[in-house]
Amino acid sequence: MLYGIAAATTALLLTAVLAALLRVPALRVGLVDRRQRQRRVALSGGVAVVAVTCLVASAGDWTGLAPLGAGMGVLLATAGAVAGLGLVADLWRLKARFLVVGTAIAAAFVVPYGDTGVVAGVAAVGWVTCVALAFRALDHADGVAGTVGVVTSFGVGACAAAEVMDGLTVLLSVLAAALTGFLMHNWPPARVALGGCGALFAGFLLAAAAVTTRAGQDAVAGAGVLFALTAAAAADAVLVLLARRTAGRPLLRRAPDHLAHRLRRLGLTPQGAAIVIGVAAFAGVLVAVLVHSGLLDRQAVLWVAGGALVVVLGLWRVPVYARQGEGAGRRAAESAARRAGGGGARRPVESAARRPGDGGSQRQADGASRARGRARRQAVSSVQPPRRSVESPVRAPRRMASSQVSGSLRVRNG
């Protein structure tokens, strides 16, 4: 117990310090993400979370103060490999299919097939992969991925504690503390972000830990608990896929159509959007923990699914693509109007004047030419030449103050 508290405190402080120290090097090497098209956010938070979580958990297992137990070393190693894959994607913009394949291969090494069975094990591999990628998508706005990660870590840790998995409980508490230290720099307006490195690591570790906790129990109730633990990330992923599919947009191209973006369209501040998503994640996690502990019937998960469906369908109606199209159309119309007003009015008159055999057009052209000549003469005559007696504004005060200037000159100069 005491080691768990000390490990969590150490992880929190180390992550906060390391994320701040790595910010400048990340900006220099180009490990950045752009928020709101102008603000550059360093992706050093993910590296700090991964390094501190692996270091503190490995130190507890190596010293024997908090042994991770059988299979936890493999889980931590595969999560670190997924984090390395995410770091490569952050640096060189790796294609999404490589992330999917790499994460699925890593998940295949940590699913306990002996407890789940082959069919359920394959489904668990797909679920772990989807959750890891969903957490990566959550890192689109300030404070969202960190808040959901902390809440989910406590939920999965509570389920592991109910199953007396002490090593897994300590590992998840260290992850929660590291994400909390990261949130010190990621809360809006964020200075650092998780990036693919930290988001894939957190999502993969949480999903694999949840599968390990529920292995060997009722499959239907287990599926409901797993969904409730990650309901916020699942709702965001379903909303994005639904909106892009119906709008005919590429599924993998970034766009401001996530949960936080739509909540901002409704008038919430960045802090408010992160808090609302965090509260929704906490509600799902609370139901999952109570169902896992037997304090609630498994049908309570249906309330979480129904709430997620209502949120998805409600926010799906928020226009995010239409406004961008209207803005582009308005800018195109303004530029076309500027081009049309730059001299296009003279061309029909000049072309009409050149056409032979058209007396009416010729008279119109001559009338327009005379009208322009009169307008030019009136404009020239209306401009008065400057007075020769007006002094320079720089020298005027000096001459007015001079005692040699006569009174008549002062009156004439005003």
Side-chain angles (χ1 to χ4, degrees), residues 21-270:
L21 292 178
L22 294 178
R23 180 176 178 271
V24 175
L27 292 175
R28 290 181 177 177
V29 300
L31 188 62
V32 297
D33 185 24
R34 290 194 176 273
R35 301 285 169 88
Q36 299 173 354
R37 298 183 179 181
Q38 296 178 353
R39 186 162 49 92
R40 299 171 70 223
V41 179
L43 300 180
S44 59
V47 178
V49 169
V50 173
V52 171
T53 302
C54 295
L55 177 63
V56 175
S58 301
D61 185 63
W62 179 68
T63 57
L65 296 175
L68 296 179
M72 294 299 103
V74 177
L75 174 61
L76 197 59
T78 51
V82 172
L85 185 63
L87 182 60
V88 172
D90 291 335
L91 288 172
W92 290 288
R93 307 302 179 189
L94 197 63
K95 293 184 178 180
R97 60 174 175 266
F98 295 108
L99 293 178
V100 174
V101 173
T103 307
I105 293 175
F109 284 97
V110 298
V111 173
Y113 300 98
D115 297 328
T116 61
V118 177
V119 177
V122 172
V125 169
W127 185 79
V128 171
T129 304
C130 292
V131 170
L133 296 175
F135 263 83
R136 181 173 182 261
L138 278 179
D139 194 39
H140 60 270
D142 300 345
V144 175
T147 302
V148 175
V150 170
V151 173
T152 309
S153 298
F154 281 117
V156 180
C159 295
E163 299 296 327
V164 199
M165 296 181 176
D166 296 334
L168 187 57
T169 303
V170 172
L171 176 60
L172 293 172
S173 65
V174 170
L175 175 62
L179 290 173
T180 305
F182 156 75
L183 271 177
M184 294 182 179
H185 305 283
N186 185 248
W187 193 251
R191 300 175 68 246
V192 299
L194 279 177
C197 175
L200 286 175
F201 174 82
F204 180 89
L205 190 57
L206 290 173
V211 169
T212 304
T213 303
R214 290 295 307 181
Q217 301 185 26
D218 181 53
V220 177
V225 169
L226 294 180
F227 167 75
L229 285 171
T230 57
D236 181 76
V238 171
L239 175 62
V240 170
L241 293 177
L242 177 64
R244 294 180 184 177
R245 182 70 176 178
T246 54
R249 298 174 63 89
L251 297 180
L252 300 180
R253 182 177 298 176
R254 297 184 61 177
D257 52 5
H258 293 263
L259 283 175
H261 297 139
R262 295 174 186 270
L263 291 174
R264 291 291 307 278
R265 296 282 188 184
L266 295 178
L268 271 69
T269 61

